[in-house]
Amino acid sequence: MRGRSWAAPLHILFFGAAAVLAGCQTAETVQAPLPVSKPPAYAMAGGDAGPRRLQAMREMGLAPIPGNEVGFYMDGAEAELLSALRRQGVSVTRVGNSLILNMQGELAFAPNSTGVSPKFAEALKKLAVILGAHDRILIDVTGHTDSSGNAGANRKLSEERARSVAELLIAQGVEGKRFILRGSGAGEPIASNRTAEGRAQNRRVEIKLAPFTTADQRASYRRSVAP
């Protein structure tokens, strides 16, 4: 007895306790593994977001638009946007070879809300189709608020509004790596915040569509080789 090991009894005791616990556990109590959250496909403005987007465009096999074709390419996109969004309350403004889309006020967001209104969502679905057909367009989404509330809360709200728009477009099949998002808070008003009408105009999201050009590629290359 003196030379007998206690390893076997201890092992049996441990195994028995484990078996009892396992017997108490039913199928309903088994916890499924938690889903692994994926990082967003889009980038927030700042740092090297711009060069990383251009690199992602190249990695997706998208060739930049040659300089002599940029105007024609954006003309086609503009015509399609004007036709699709004319009755959706979305303005389309041409600035050089870029297009600025803007939907304002209650048509886009309720006060203190990040949820896209049904009418704006319908417009974004039409926009997604056009962006899918013109895959060499870079997409910048900037959220804005009125001046109600404090600056920190407004900036966060404006970022969340930009996210809401980008995520809806991505859900419709637009490649997320084409996006850069920014929240400006109440810092870029287009109307007076002293009136309800002005505040409604300032609650908006602007979408800038710019061509992916050979000039972008050259600039990105110069940055990558700079000492």
Side-chain angles (χ1 to χ4, degrees), residues 14-194:
F14 178 80
F15 179 81
V20 170
L21 290 173
C24 294
Q25 188 177 35
T26 66
E28 287 76 18
T29 62
V30 174
Q31 297 293 319
L34 294 174
V36 178
S37 60
K38 295 181 179 179
Y42 50 80
M44 299 302 294
D48 61 347
R52 284 192 290 111
R53 174 170 61 176
L54 298 179
Q55 178 64 27
M57 296 287 282
R58 291 192 295 271
E59 291 173 353
M60 290 188 288
L62 295 171
I65 308 167
N68 61 346
E69 298 178 14
V70 172
F72 179 77
Y73 189 90
M74 297 306 291
D75 287 346
E78 181 181 17
E80 291 184 36
L81 290 166
L82 288 170
S83 176
L85 303 178
R86 182 178 293 118
R87 294 179 177 84
Q88 300 293 321
V90 178
S91 65
V92 180
T93 305
R94 181 78 173 253
V95 180
N97 281 320
S98 295
L99 300 169
I100 309 297
L101 279 58
N102 191 358
M103 192 171 201
Q104 299 173 350
E106 305 296 341
L107 294 175
F109 298 97
N112 298 316
S113 171
T114 62
V116 174
S117 71
K119 184 172 183 178
F120 194 20
E122 189 62 31
L124 291 175
K125 290 176 183 177
K126 293 183 178 183
L127 173 60
V129 174
I130 297 170
L131 292 176
H134 296 79
D135 58 1
R136 292 187 290 175
I137 286 179
L138 307 174
I139 308 162
D140 292 345
V141 183
T142 302
H144 302 268
T145 69
D146 61 34
S147 61
S148 304
N150 66 67
N154 282 338
R155 183 166 296 279
K156 183 176 180 181
L157 178 62
S158 65
E159 289 178 355
E160 292 302 318
R161 285 176 172 169
R163 290 180 195 273
S164 294
V165 169
E167 288 172 359
L168 194 153
L169 290 170
I170 292 168
Q172 295 296 313
V174 181
E175 170 55 57
K177 293 177 182 177
R178 296 165 64 185
F179 289 81
I180 290 179
L181 277 55
R182 184 172 70 90
S184 74
E188 299 174 14
I190 58 173
S192 171
N193 278 302
R194 296 180 179 179

